[in-house]
Coordinates of all heavy atoms in Angstrom, one line a residue:
G1 N 101.5 104.5 104.5 CA 100.9 103.8 103.3 C 99.6 103.1 103.7 O 98.6 103.3 103.0
R2 N 99.6 102.5 104.9 CA 98.4 101.8 105.3 C 97.3 102.8 105.7 O 96.1 102.6 105.4 CB 98.8 100.9 106.5 CG 97.6 100.0 107.0 CD 98.0 99.0 108.1 NE 98.4 99.7 109.3 CZ 99.6 99.7 109.9 NH1 100.5 99.0 109.4 NH2 99.8 100.4 111.0
G3 N 97.7 103.9 106.3 CA 96.8 104.9 106.8 C 96.1 105.5 105.6 O 94.9 105.8 105.6
V4 N 96.9 105.9 104.5 CA 96.3 106.5 103.3 C 95.3 105.5 102.7 O 94.2 105.9 102.3 CB 97.4 106.9 102.3 CG1 96.8 107.2 101.0 CG2 98.1 108.1 102.9
L5 N 95.7 104.2 102.6 CA 94.8 103.2 102.0 C 93.5 103.1 102.9 O 92.4 102.8 102.3 CB 95.5 101.9 101.9 CG 96.5 101.8 100.7 CD1 97.2 100.4 100.8 CD2 95.9 102.0 99.4
S6 N 93.6 103.2 104.2 CA 92.5 103.1 105.0 C 91.5 104.2 104.8 O 90.3 104.0 105.1 CB 92.9 103.0 106.5 OG 93.3 104.2 107.0
L7 N 92.0 105.4 104.4 CA 91.1 106.5 104.1 C 90.1 106.2 103.0 O 89.0 106.8 102.9 CB 91.9 107.8 103.8 CG 92.6 108.4 105.0 CD1 93.6 109.5 104.5 CD2 91.7 109.0 106.0
Y8 N 90.5 105.2 102.2 CA 89.6 104.8 101.1 C 88.2 104.3 101.6 O 87.2 104.7 101.1 CB 90.3 103.7 100.3 CG 89.4 103.1 99.2 CD1 89.6 103.5 97.9 CD2 88.5 102.1 99.4 CE1 88.8 103.0 96.8 CE2 87.7 101.5 98.4 CZ 87.9 102.0 97.1 OH 87.1 101.4 96.1
S9 N 88.3 103.6 102.7 CA 87.1 103.0 103.3 C 86.2 104.1 103.9 O 85.0 103.8 104.1 CB 87.4 101.9 104.3 OG 88.1 102.5 105.4
A10 N 86.7 105.2 104.2 CA 86.0 106.3 104.8 C 85.4 107.3 103.8 O 84.8 108.3 104.2 CB 86.8 107.0 105.9
D11 N 85.7 107.0 102.5 CA 85.4 108.0 101.5 C 84.2 107.4 100.7 O 84.3 106.3 100.0 CB 86.6 108.2 100.6 CG 86.4 109.3 99.6 OD1 85.2 109.7 99.3 OD2 87.4 109.9 99.0
Q12 N 83.1 108.1 100.7 CA 81.9 107.6 99.9 C 82.1 107.7 98.4 O 81.4 106.9 97.7 CB 80.7 108.5 100.3 CG 80.3 108.4 101.8 CD 79.9 107.0 102.2 OE1 79.1 106.3 101.5 NE2 80.4 106.5 103.3
N13 N 83.0 108.5 98.0 CA 83.3 108.6 96.5 C 84.8 108.3 96.2 O 85.4 108.9 95.4 CB 82.9 110.0 96.0 CG 81.5 110.3 96.2 OD1 80.6 109.6 95.7 ND2 81.2 111.4 96.9
A14 N 85.3 107.2 96.8 CA 86.7 106.9 96.7 C 87.2 106.7 95.3 O 88.3 107.0 94.9 CB 87.0 105.7 97.6
D15 N 86.3 106.1 94.5 CA 86.8 105.7 93.1 C 86.4 106.7 92.0 O 86.8 106.5 90.9 CB 86.1 104.3 92.7 CG 86.7 103.2 93.5 OD1 87.9 103.0 93.5 OD2 85.9 102.5 94.2
D16 N 85.8 107.8 92.4 CA 85.5 108.9 91.5 C 86.8 109.6 91.1 O 87.4 110.3 92.0 CB 84.5 109.8 92.1 CG 84.1 111.0 91.2 OD1 84.7 111.1 90.2 OD2 83.2 111.8 91.7
I17 N 87.2 109.6 89.9 CA 88.4 110.3 89.5 C 88.2 111.5 88.7 O 89.0 112.0 87.9 CB 89.4 109.3 88.7 CG1 88.7 108.8 87.4 CG2 89.8 108.2 89.6 CD1 89.7 108.1 86.5
S18 N 87.0 112.2 88.9 CA 86.8 113.5 88.3 C 87.7 114.5 89.0 O 88.1 114.3 90.2 CB 85.3 113.9 88.6 OG 85.0 114.1 90.0
I19 N 88.0 115.5 88.3 CA 89.0 116.5 88.9 C 88.4 117.1 90.2 O 89.2 117.3 91.1 CB 89.2 117.6 87.8 CG1 89.9 117.0 86.6 CG2 90.1 118.7 88.4 CD1 91.2 116.3 86.8
E20 N 87.2 117.4 90.2 CA 86.6 118.0 91.4 C 86.8 117.1 92.6 O 87.1 117.5 93.7 CB 85.1 118.3 91.2 CG 84.4 118.9 92.4 CD 83.0 119.2 92.2 OE1 82.5 119.1 91.0 OE2 82.3 119.6 93.1
N21 N 86.5 115.8 92.4 CA 86.6 114.8 93.5 C 88.0 114.6 93.9 O 88.3 114.5 95.1 CB 85.9 113.5 93.2 CG 85.7 112.6 94.4 OD1 85.1 113.0 95.4 ND2 86.3 111.4 94.3
V22 N 88.9 114.5 92.9 CA 90.3 114.2 93.2 C 90.9 115.5 93.9 O 91.8 115.3 94.8 CB 91.1 113.9 92.0 CG1 92.6 113.8 92.2 CG2 90.6 112.5 91.4
L23 N 90.5 116.7 93.6 CA 91.0 117.8 94.3 C 90.6 117.8 95.7 O 91.3 118.1 96.6 CB 90.5 119.1 93.6 CG 90.9 120.4 94.2 CD1 92.4 120.6 94.3 CD2 90.3 121.6 93.5
R24 N 89.3 117.4 96.0 CA 88.8 117.3 97.3 C 89.6 116.3 98.1 O 90.1 116.5 99.2 CB 87.3 116.9 97.3 CG 86.6 116.9 98.6 CD 86.6 115.5 99.3 NE 86.0 114.5 98.4 CZ 86.0 113.2 98.7 NH1 86.6 112.8 99.8 NH2 85.5 112.4 97.8
Q25 N 89.9 115.1 97.5 CA 90.7 114.1 98.1 C 92.1 114.6 98.4 O 92.7 114.3 99.4 CB 90.8 112.9 97.3 CG 89.4 112.1 97.1 CD 89.4 111.0 96.1 OE1 90.2 111.1 95.1 NE2 88.6 110.0 96.3

């Protein structure tokens, strides 16, 4: 859980919820 949340900080587009970006995530 903590590791997944930490990946947020390494993602330049973490809050982008477009289908393309979420598929990449």
Side-chain angles (χ1 to χ4, degrees):
R2 187 175 66 239
V4 166
L5 286 174
S6 71
L7 289 171
Y8 176 97
S9 63
D11 189 339
Q12 297 297 316
N13 297 307
D15 290 304
D16 178 356
I17 60 171
S18 67
I19 297 303
E20 181 179 350
N21 192 56
V22 172
L23 178 60
R24 187 264 306 170
Q25 292 171 330

